[in-house]
Amino acid sequence: LKNMEILFLNLQLERSLKKMLLNLIKKELLIEFRSKQIILSMLIFGLAIILIFALSSNVSSEILSSYSPGMFWLMNLFIVVLGVHRSFAYEKEFDAFSLLVSAPINRGQIFLSKWISGFIFITITQLIVIVPFFNLLLLDIPENLLLFILTSMLINLGMMAIANLVSGIVIRSNFSEILLPLLMFPLLSPLIIAATKISSAVINAHSYEVWNVWVLIVVSIVVLFGLAGYALFDFIVE
């Protein structure tokens, strides 16, 4: 009977944790749906970078195509910094973050909600800017566009895991706008290199055996920083 009671309590706890996580994600999406500040700012910034690339490049399409994967992920790097900073700025206003962490919830779920919502925001932005990126640079859209999008989504998971972990560290600082890119860029550098290699291989239709090691690196980063963020976010908040 005691074992049954313990099992029942564990099931109730698991259900409540899932409900809390869904409510936190719903809160993030609802705030963005009402204000549209994060996606719009990321979208405008991304399009501005694409225009700069398009108007400043004066080389042949063959040369430009070899640099396009790096340009694409460089654009996304700046977009992520802008979006993540704005996401945590919501909580900083009126000291709402203190109210959030004082709620009776697992603080690791706060990290998960920021991670998942940030992944949704960056993915939506990429889906909108991917066509203007290739068209304005006079490049051919990848033949295997679905694979390009799927690999980009995997990379987005790694980017947002790192970005939200660093943002949780610097949110209380008065110099968070400066500290965020200073701490984030070195951590994101290996991921951006792997992302460039993967996107280049997909665009050039290389065999998976050629670039599978970069996929393993990205998966390792996703798992490492995802688990670290969930496990350490309570300590980071304190």
Side-chain angles (χ1 to χ4, degrees):
L1 183 61
K2 290 184 178 180
N3 291 335
M4 292 295 294
E5 291 178 354
I6 294 173
L7 179 61
F8 178 76
L9 291 175
N10 289 334
L11 290 174
Q12 289 292 102
L13 179 60
E14 184 179 354
R15 290 176 182 175
S16 63
L17 289 175
K18 290 180 180 179
K19 188 175 181 180
M20 290 176 187
L21 178 59
L22 291 176
N23 287 334
L24 286 171
I25 297 173
K26 182 180 178 181
K27 184 263 297 183
E28 297 289 337
L29 298 179
L30 187 61
I31 291 175
E32 177 57 21
F33 178 75
R34 290 174 175 175
S35 65
K36 301 179 180 63
Q37 292 186 19
I38 296 177
I39 292 180
L40 279 180
S41 60
M42 293 166 68
L43 182 60
I44 293 172
F45 191 60
L47 291 174
I49 295 176
I50 293 173
L51 286 174
I52 293 174
F53 287 159
L55 296 176
S56 62
S57 60
N58 191 23
V59 295
S60 64
S61 58
E62 290 79 8
I63 298 176
L64 191 60
S65 62
S66 63
Y67 289 100
S68 60
M71 296 164 67
F72 179 78
W73 287 109
L74 182 63
M75 173 193 69
N76 283 287
L77 178 63
F78 291 114
I79 288 176
V80 166
V81 174
L82 181 65
V84 170
H85 180 266
R86 187 57 201 157
S87 174
F88 275 85
Y90 284 138
E91 314 294 353
K92 197 173 183 179
E93 294 173 357
F94 305 107
D95 201 23
F97 193 73
S98 296
L99 299 176
L100 183 62
V101 298
S102 63
I105 57 176
N106 182 359
R107 291 174 180 174
Q109 291 186 327
I110 300 175
F111 170 80
L112 290 179
S113 65
K114 292 287 185 181
W115 184 16
I116 295 172
S117 60
F119 166 75
I120 294 173
F121 298 151
I122 185 62
T123 301
I124 292 174
T125 305
Q126 283 181 355
L127 291 175
I128 296 174
V129 303
I130 189 171
V131 174
F133 177 82
F134 285 99
N135 285 343
L136 291 176
L137 292 176
L138 303 178
L139 299 172
D140 296 329
I141 295 178
E143 295 181 1
N144 200 340
L145 183 60
L146 179 60
L147 181 59
F148 184 86
I149 293 174
L150 291 176
T151 53
S152 298
M153 292 174 65
L154 176 63
I155 296 164
N156 291 342
L157 280 174
M159 293 179 67
M160 297 312 301
I162 297 173
N164 283 287
L165 180 60
V166 175
S167 296
I169 296 173
V170 304
I171 183 175
R172 297 300 184 96
S173 173
N174 294 328
F175 304 99
S176 59
E177 296 85 356
I178 301 174
L179 289 175
L180 181 61
L182 287 178
L183 295 177
M184 193 188 309
F185 285 169
L187 292 174
L188 283 174
S189 295
L191 183 63
I192 296 300
I193 294 172
T196 303
K197 296 292 185 180
I198 293 172
S199 297
S200 177
V202 173
I203 291 173
N204 295 312
H206 291 165
S207 174
Y208 177 71
E209 288 75 13
V210 177
W211 49 278
N212 61 353
V213 62
W214 299 107
V215 175
L216 295 177
I217 292 174
V218 173
V219 171
S220 300
I221 292 174
V222 172
V223 174
L224 176 63
F225 282 92
L227 293 176
Y230 181 80
L232 298 177
F233 202 75
D234 189 6
F235 174 76
I236 290 171
V237 167
E238 293 296 333

